[in-house]
Amino acid sequence: MLFIVFLTTIIRISIADMALYQSVSETNEVIATHAYPADLATTAVEDILNEKLSGIHEDLDLNLAANLLTDSMEYLDINIDVNGYLQSISADLLEPVIQDKFADKVGGSFFDSSNLSIDQVTHPTSFTGDGAFIEIDASYKIDVAVPFVNKEIILKKTSYERLWAGS
């Protein structure tokens, strides 16, 4: 009988471990793959604006036009900043997303997704080179359901993804 309980506990730990890994990895992959299109869109908008402004009559002060555009964007609360997007990704923002993915992966009521927490989010420092990585560290606390043992195991997973920088 003790063997069956022990085997069940090992299976529970394995399921939680796989679900934690998949949830953290999938979330990190989505972030990494969407950084480049956002950067590409930002660059395209800047190029179009520069092209349109440079095609206007030469008597127009381009610095004045650029300042007017910047002030208008600030007034309308339009922020086209991919680095700001990446830096705004925090553990508090990711935790409910990863908890939902975890709950979908494990299904049923044997696992409590509120025991999952995001320990750390390391932001990329650039879009290329050595700093083009995003890292998410997560942990899940699971109770060991073995008679006469009241312990808790903490499973930890790290996802480390390179930002997609196109071809």
Side-chain angles (χ1 to χ4, degrees):
M1 181 67 176
L2 185 59
F3 175 73
I4 293 173
V5 171
F6 178 72
L7 186 62
T8 312
T9 302
I10 296 298
I11 292 171
R12 282 185 66 229
I13 291 171
S14 298
I15 291 170
D17 187 59
M18 288 185 290
L20 179 62
Y21 172 74
Q22 288 178 345
S23 301
V24 173
S25 293
E26 286 176 6
T27 303
N28 206 6
E29 286 173 7
V30 168
I31 294 168
T33 57
H34 284 79
Y36 177 70
D39 184 47
L40 191 62
T42 302
T43 306
V45 168
E46 289 173 356
D47 290 345
I48 290 170
L49 289 176
N50 286 335
E51 181 181 313
K52 295 293 181 188
L53 288 177
S54 65
I56 297 177
H57 194 266
E58 295 170 0
D59 292 337
L60 180 65
D61 183 11
L62 292 180
N63 289 332
L64 177 64
N67 289 339
L68 177 64
L69 179 64
T70 303
D71 292 343
S72 300
M73 289 176 66
E74 286 177 8
Y75 178 74
L76 296 173
D77 196 27
I78 298 172
N79 184 9
I80 307 174
D81 181 23
V82 179
N83 289 326
Y85 154 75
L86 290 172
Q87 298 304 321
S88 69
I89 297 171
S90 65
D92 294 335
L93 181 69
L94 291 177
E95 193 163 299
V97 174
I98 295 177
Q99 284 177 345
D100 287 345
K101 286 188 178 198
F102 180 82
D104 289 344
K105 302 277 185 229
V106 294
S109 59
F110 288 111
F111 300 96
D112 184 12
S113 63
S114 65
N115 288 340
L116 190 148
S117 63
I118 306 301
D119 300 327
Q120 180 181 353
V121 177
T122 306
H123 301 99
T125 56
S126 69
F127 279 95
T128 58
D130 293 337
F133 292 94
I134 184 165
E135 179 180 349
I136 300 174
D137 298 327
S139 60
Y140 181 75
K141 296 176 186 173
I142 187 167
D143 294 326
V144 176
V146 177
F148 310 113
V149 177
N150 190 15
K151 295 286 183 179
E152 182 177 79
I153 294 176
I154 299 175
L155 303 172
K156 294 186 177 196
K157 292 294 174 193
T158 298
S159 177
Y160 191 73
E161 291 285 335
R162 181 174 187 79
L163 295 180
W164 183 64
S167 55

